[in-house]
Amino acid sequence: MYQHIRRSAYHLAEGSEPWSEDYRALAFPEHWHAGLLELHNHGREEEKRRPTLPTRRLDGVLQTLAPDVIVRPRPRVPVEPVPEQSPPAAEDFWMYVPASATDPLPERSLRQLLDAWLRTLGPKGAGQNPEFRSVLLASSTDLKRNLPEWQPVTGVELLTGPVTPGGTAAPDPRQFQLATDALARRILSLDPYRFEGGELHFRAVPRGPRDQGAELMSQPLCRTVKRKEWWFSVVLNISLHTAPFDARPRLHLHWGVRRWATHPRATAKRLNLSYREATTVYLRPTIPWLPGAPATERYALARLRRDRAADTFAWSENDTAGILRGLSLAGNFPDPEQLLAEPGSWIGEGGGVRAAVVHSTRMGKHEIGTGFMPNQRAQLTEWAEQALPEPVVRVPDLKRGRGKGIGAPGNRRPKPRTDEARKTELLRETQARRANLAAQARIADSAPHHSGPPLVEVRLLWQSPEVRKEAVAQFAHALGLDGDGGASAAAITDRDFDEARPGAPVVLEWQTEELVLRLRCLPLADGLGDRLVPDPTVKGKGAALSAAIVERRRALDSWLRADGADPGRPELALVEIAHRSTFRPSTTDPKFAVRLGCAGAGVLTQFVVTPSTDRQIDNADSIGHRTHSSWLDGLRQLGVRVLPQHTLGDDLPDGLQYAAVWMVKRRKDGPTRLPKHLPVAVLATPLPHATGQAAVRGWDDAAGEWVPYPRFLLGLVKQAEIDPEACAEPDPQGDGPQPSAPRVTGKQWRTNLAQQRKETAAFIQRVLHSLRDQPTVLITHAQNSRLHWPWLQDGRIERDLIRTGHAPAGRLDDELRLVRVRGCGGRESAQWWGLADPGKPHGQPAGFWTETMMSQSGASSGDRIFYSTTERPGTHAVSPALDRLATRVNAAGNLTSQAGTSAWNPTLLEIAVLGCHANNDAGALAPGRPDDAEALALTVHQLRQAPDYAAALSLPLPLHLAGLAQAYVLPMLAEGDVNSAGVTAGAAAEQDQGRTTDNDSDPDLMDAAGLTTEPEGGDDEG
């Protein structure tokens, strides 16, 4: 068993000299602003005038044309005042260049660049306006007379700086770019990375001023898979991060794969690009972009967008491409239609500009696998480590913490090895499930208790006979029920199922010792499961779609009430629905309306997809597995949960319960988009004398009380308001411009966020007040919640204190403990691998891990930070020694490689015990027994291993449940609900196909969808 794991994270050695570099810097010429802003707003109506100058595209081109220039963002207005104790920031500049670089941006090149940028500032079509051209000429002349000058800046320290009052490093903002760029340059100076059959040559990728890191990418590599050629590149991201209570910032190396779109769609004869979103293209010139400018080894980024009027794709004029095309290489710039029709001819070596279109999963399957397994990841990292400056060293390896083996809970899911043992375990699981369901039914039953077993009714809303038959069988299988529910005895035929109607369904019934189960089977008829059809008489596309959603919602509500559904008695329905790809455009998908309509009638919903040959899910095994998983997930919504039982004994308070807070955030493209968010909270309380059983409740903020989980989910539907304007979507078949949401200014965004933070603070205060009577661990998620709860940021936290609003931080309530977890979102959790014995491949051990880091003062700074890894699901049994790069000759004399196999790595989850009673204060475990932070962290690790899931969760169970609640606020987000393996359909697709993370993606939103065991270090697609 692996005893240590290693991370690709680096910091300054204890007591070493600072790592510093010399630069030349250029201040932003603020005297340009007024004149250029007038040019930018020329011809605009008063209400459409822009308050600031858009320098993003200029910054992007600067980093492309001048390979040694580092461009910093202009200062932004903070959402709230900077705390008084925050250290003062060093003087910053617009551009930096290493002092050793010669003539980074010749004056002639700078003049040409500024001319090209100025032409993009005016409104569309302004270039044909003689008045605008006159203003443009005047602005250009003024700029060239007042060009800024470079000045020396020496001894810039890259990894040292002040420390917050909480003992956490507070890097200077410019260090996030300068330190990562400096390391990237050192890596580029290394010899190529050699592997069996070739070598990797890396180039830098331009990073925007707010990207806060550096990126290197190899040349495109070609592999033949299934008799076709497929292209990909190796990507190295370098980023700077902090860790709670650690005074030294860390550099992370993150390896990934970027796959290139290679094969056009057979029908359209071109790549299948998104109609709604821009597609990223990487460009590489073979000669300098500008005459007289230094040759650049960097890639350039450009974007293709759909031109609705011509129904073609064109280069985005308001992006880097809009400037590059106006320069001297315009004649060699790729023609969009030719690039999309013959993408392979532009990849690799050749004359002129080379171009590669980033593959995304919407384009179809790519035969190159994603990510790297641990052994090759370790090899790549060891090569890059040669570039580390002398003062920078790897962070200490992690060792196993307390707890045996993988740190499993006391009621860990067993792994039967024989058929007889599997049958016994299945019988035990189904009996426990029925007992749990009966207990939840008694809790939810407001009527006087009777002596007999409780009655539980469940609905099956089906559309195809195949799914109906399998759903009935799997319902019985999931609950260990004998027989067919009386169908044979009553001679129920297919015609009876087809003719069932609300109030007269086909009812199947099973009686067990624990409860009576009835399955009401109804065909989802009358178009209730069909695509939404906007009413053409309603003016406005968004309003028409909104009306269609409301109409379907009301129809489902009335339909279910006619069948006896009672909003005061939560029930469950398994609903068969077509795959989302069937509905085009996506806003016609009825799942949103179906879930809301069912919830209005008091019915929770779980969906199963109709079989389809196109999606290769029409075989019986697939239908059976999907329906079985859906039933288990539906039962979990009813509160049938098994809580992992901790193994800490008296090291934790008696009756310890677990609360979790989650921030539900509106999707920018979803029908519930509103300028606000919604915090939710879930509480799991172990039931006495019932091992593994828990009362799962959610916080009803309107009533100010904890309510059963099913009632909590149904209550959230009230928050799913529909914004008609947000429903508008560009129609691929439509003509002319489409409606769009109004532009939100920076000032409006800051005002909205400040208000949301106030609402979040009030919400958290109400939740905390309700938890004062019983020992509670409050679990939060860094990437999901820190934007709205700023206290969770590394730069704000202080040990054993808490702050929810503007009031100063105060001590924790006696019964409260605060734990924050952090995953791989934003690459904040380092890549890792288990250290193997010499000669053996590095692996992926599961377990609970700890580190001990001593500061110069002798105080331990690592006694509050722990790490959690889990076992890989059986569906991802990939060898840790997988080699994605090598090409070898097999026994038949043919070249072969493993490039087509996708890698899968469990996330290294950081567990930070931010607050506990470790100093034997009033809230300590017992007199003379202070809290044990490691014990608290271990129980959070064990909460990831829920026995009723076939695979471990990416988050502790209470946080997982809180995140799942967003499906009733953002129904469009949960395309495939979580299955019994603990992996969402969306997450499973990401694991199989690779993440589709575009450079503009919101990391919090990406992380919000990752509720279950997730891959780390997959594709980095656009």
Side-chain angles (χ1 to χ4, degrees), residues 157-168:
E157 296 185 3
L158 302 180
L159 286 179
T160 51
V163 178
T164 69
T168 303

Side-chain angles (χ1 to χ4, degrees), residues 258 827 994-1001 1006 1019-1022:
R258 180 164 289 138
R827 305 185 181 92
R995 287 192 184 277
T996 56
T997 50
D998 188 83
N999 291 331
D1000 292 335
S1001 295
M1006 296 296 295
D1019 229 11
D1020 188 9
E1021 304 182 350

